[in-house]
Amino acid sequence: MFKSFGYYFGESLTSNHVISGLIGGFTIVMCVYYYWWKFPHPRYPPGVRGVPIFGATLFFGRYVQETLAKWSRSKYGPVMSARFGQDDAVVLNDYESIHEALVKNIQHFNSRPSFYIVEQFTHGYGFGFADGHKKYLDVRNFSLSALRGLGIGRRTMETRVSEVAQDLVKILEDLDQKPTDLKMMLGGTVANVLCSVVFGKTYDLSDPEYQYAVQCSFDCFGDPENSEYVNFMFFYPKLRYIQPFKRALKKFIDVHLGLIG
């Protein structure tokens, strides 16, 4: 029976079938190359293309910024590209390129992408993700004006930082070389600089409510338990309907609302 089947299969597999298969395979390869592997522009910076559909997201790990910085240092340089899901992105990794793009050529970079999970608590506003050219520029101009009025870029800012830093130095001296976790201590000190600028006062680092606010700021994008799921939902928001992505999104939103509420 098997011999008969093999004979029938061999007879039915004519040269036309072979040619059609080769043409079909070649077409698929060209489509994948054109729509996936080919760079959008001849001068497009080198980078990580990843795999079809997912791009480089499978290789980001828990902390996207650390992975991109590592790729930049080890292979691609300060200006590189990466495939975020099905979208191409140029990644800037040093002060010079960021200043060139976002300060000197702001008119060409004054729009922002829209992400579903960010929209849940910003509603289209916020300096980083303001939707649309005019809205982004309005938020940017207001933010810069308000920050200048609070002393950013002036000598008074150095004084505020120095005063808050003295409190940190005193805490470190009181430790008397005992081992301790500096994460909350340093995070609280940086937050106190911001509080000094915005509210005109600082908070005790041992205050439970203040510690909660600082921890929320750490957990916004650095929660080791959920950050990888959140990263995927930036590019595939429909994953929010299934676990564990649904749980990660709820915590992500709760953390942000807790920080601003």
Side-chain angles (χ1 to χ4, degrees), residues 166-177:
Q166 291 304 315
D167 296 334
L168 176 62
V169 171
K170 186 177 183 305
I171 294 174
L172 293 175
E173 290 176 346
D174 293 340
L175 289 175
D176 194 23
Q177 299 183 357

Side-chain angles (χ1 to χ4, degrees), residues 24 129 179 251:
F129 298 96
K251 183 175 181 181

Side-chain angles (χ1 to χ4, degrees), residues 4 9 15 22 31 41 50 54-55 77 83 96 98 103 153 171 175 214 223 226 229-230 236 246 248-249:
S4 300
F9 181 77
S15 59
L22 291 175
C31 288
H41 191 276
F54 295 104
R83 188 85 166 177
E96 289 75 17
I98 294 173
V103 177
I171 294 174
L175 289 175
V214 174
D223 181 7
N226 296 305
Y229 302 124
V230 171
Y236 309 101
K246 185 177 181 179
L249 177 61

Side-chain angles (χ1 to χ4, degrees), residues 29-240:
V29 170
M30 291 303 297
C31 288
V32 170
Y33 169 76
Y34 184 81
Y35 289 105
W36 190 259
W37 294 108
K38 184 181 179 182
F39 286 110
H41 191 276
R43 298 179 62 186
Y44 202 71
V48 182
R49 306 296 289 168
V51 297
I53 300 177
F54 295 104
T57 55
L58 296 178
F59 311 105
F60 284 156
R62 290 182 176 178
Y63 304 110
V64 179
Q65 68 278 9
E66 294 182 3
T67 303
L68 291 173
K70 181 180 178 181
W71 289 342
S72 173
R73 291 192 302 267
S74 62
K75 186 174 182 180
Y76 297 108
V79 180
M80 59 170 287
S81 64
R83 188 85 166 177
F84 288 68
Q86 300 183 48
D87 299 317
D88 289 297
V90 176
V91 184
L92 309 178
N93 290 283
D94 66 344
Y95 173 80
E96 289 75 17
S97 57
I98 294 173
H99 187 268
E100 180 72 22
L102 302 183
V103 177
K104 294 183 178 180
N105 295 282
I106 184 61
Q107 70 275 12
H108 301 301
F109 297 92
N110 57 6
S111 62
R112 289 295 179 270
S114 177
F115 296 107
Y116 173 84
I117 62 175
V118 177
E119 290 281 340
Q120 297 307 295
F121 56 88
T122 64
H123 304 292
Y125 289 92
F127 183 75
F129 298 96
D131 184 23
H133 298 273
K134 186 178 185 303
K135 188 183 292 186
Y136 167 71
L137 290 176
D138 289 343
V139 174
R140 179 180 183 273
N141 293 335
F142 171 78
S143 301
L144 291 176
S145 176
L147 291 173
R148 290 193 191 100
L150 293 171
I152 300 295
R154 300 179 182 175
R155 193 73 179 178
T156 54
M157 187 61 187
E158 294 183 21
T159 304
R160 293 179 186 270
V161 173
S162 179
E163 291 174 353
V164 176
Q166 291 304 315
D167 296 334
L168 176 62
V169 171
K170 186 177 183 305
I171 294 174
L172 293 175
E173 290 176 346
D174 293 340
L175 289 175
D176 194 23
Q177 299 183 357
K178 295 178 182 178
T180 186
D181 184 6
L182 295 176
K183 180 179 179 180
M184 183 63 68
M185 194 180 302
L186 294 175
T189 301
V190 173
N192 257 337
V193 173
L194 300 178
C195 291
S196 175
V197 172
V198 178
F199 306 125
K201 66 176 183 178
T202 59
Y203 293 87
D204 186 353
L205 295 182
S206 61
D207 184 349
E209 292 186 359
Y210 183 67
Q211 289 183 350
Y212 172 74
V214 174
Q215 186 61 51
C216 282
S217 67
F218 284 134
D219 291 341
C220 283
F221 292 97
D223 181 7
E225 181 181 350
N226 296 305
S227 59
E228 199 163 0
Y229 302 124
V230 171
N231 292 339
F232 264 93
M233 282 187 289
F234 267 96
F235 314 110
Y236 309 101
K238 290 185 179 180
L239 290 173
R240 66 185 184 274

